Every structure is written in structure tokens, then in C-alpha cells.
Amino acid sequence: MWKTILYAHDFSDCAAGVEPTVIELATALGATVVVCHVSELTHGLSADTVITPPGEEHPCRLGDFTLQSAIARLDDVVARLQARGLTARATARLDPIPVGILRAASEHAADVIVMGTHGRMGLEHLLLGSVAEKVLRQAIVPVLTLRTPAKPAHLREDEVLSDEREG
């Protein structure tokens, strides 16, 4: 059946809420878990943009910093999964988020994609879109979405940018 599970993780409470199901599913199936984070850079910035991260002395490429930061956070998730006896590894990429999830699933030969969804509706859905919906529409493997209650949406640009910098 499913031997490789792609666990899409955006470091939100919604994604973290999916972890117990990923553990249960991987344990029952003896599956490997690939924990995947996709970062989408803010419009106007490229992976080659040079930045000096806070607390660092030397500049680096934004793309490198973004991926290294994501992998560091993913390593905590992988460690929790491994502590439960699962085989798990991390992958991070820079892409439009739905595209990146689908590419990672293909590259890692995932048999299923597991991800959380806020279940936003109405204006919030229209303005924020739905990564889960875009993945569902384009995936060639099954997609298991688990709904967690949505928090009120904040559309202030400084909060969006802050969330993206944090992963």
C-alpha cells in the first residue's frame, strides 16, 4: 500500500495538529515519512538576494538562509517522528507552495500526501486561497487533508512577512 508519506508542514498549529495522524498512519503501514516545507519568497525578492540575517556577521543568499532555517525546524519534527520508531527525513524547497509540495511528492515517490487545512470559507478563502485545495486538484497520488479550526485571518502585510520569515 502506501510506503512513503509526504507530510506537508508549514510550521503552523494546523500542520502540527496533523502529526499524530501521520504517526499513526506511518506506524500502521510501516511507511517512511518525508516531512516537507515549501517556502515562497515575497514578490520582488529572489533566492539570490543577499541578506545579513539578524545576529550574523556575514551576508548570505536569501534562498540559502530560507532553506537552512526550514531544515533546522524540520529536524525537530523528524526527531519526534524518529523517537516514535519511524523512518523520517526532511526536505525543504523554494517554490510556489502547491507546486513545491507536488514536486516534492514526485521527487520522493510519495504514495500519499498528508496535510492540514484550516477549512476557511467565504472571504477568507477568496483572499488567502487554499493550498490544500490546489494540491488536491493537481495531485496524482491520494491527498489526505485533516481540518483544524481556522484562526481569524490577519491580512496585515507586516504579519504575513513575519510569518514567512519564520517559516
Side-chain angles (χ1 to χ4, degrees):
M1 182 146 182
W2 297 336
K3 292 297 174 193
T4 303
I5 298 168
L6 185 87
Y7 173 21
H9 206 304
D10 63 0
F11 307 123
S12 68
D13 291 341
C14 178
V18 173
E19 191 170 312
T21 301
V22 169
I23 290 168
E24 186 175 338
L25 189 60
T27 300
L29 298 172
T32 296
V33 179
V34 178
V35 187
C36 174
H37 177 79
V38 181
S39 294
E40 188 169 346
L41 297 179
T42 302
H43 181 71
L45 295 177
S46 78
D48 292 324
T49 300
V50 177
I51 62 166
T52 302
E56 297 289 325
E57 293 181 25
H58 303 288
C60 65
R61 291 177 62 245
L62 177 60
D64 294 339
F65 176 76
T66 301
L67 291 174
Q68 289 168 1
S69 298
I71 289 292
R73 292 183 72 184
L74 289 173
D75 284 345
D76 292 337
V77 178
V78 167
R80 285 194 306 271
L81 297 174
Q82 290 174 338
R84 301 294 296 264
L86 299 173
T87 301
R89 62 183 179 273
T91 186
R93 54 186 314 122
L94 294 175
D95 266 325
I97 296 168
V99 170
I101 292 169
L102 294 167
R103 285 182 180 162
S106 176
E107 289 171 11
H108 292 276
D111 300 302
V112 63
I113 299 168
V114 179
M115 60 192 306
T117 180
H118 295 286
R120 290 188 177 107
M121 296 168 44
L123 185 58
E124 284 185 324
H125 182 269
L126 179 66
L127 295 174
L128 297 174
S130 171
V131 170
E133 182 178 342
K134 291 173 185 168
V135 170
L136 275 165
R137 289 179 186 268
Q138 298 176 40
I140 60 171
V141 297
V143 179
L144 174 61
T145 60
L146 300 161
R147 184 171 183 211
T148 58
K151 293 182 180 178
H154 298 285
L155 299 178
R156 291 185 34 213
E157 185 174 274
D158 58 328
E159 290 176 348
V160 172
L161 292 175
S162 174
D163 286 348
E164 184 57 32
R165 282 191 298 272
E166 292 176 10

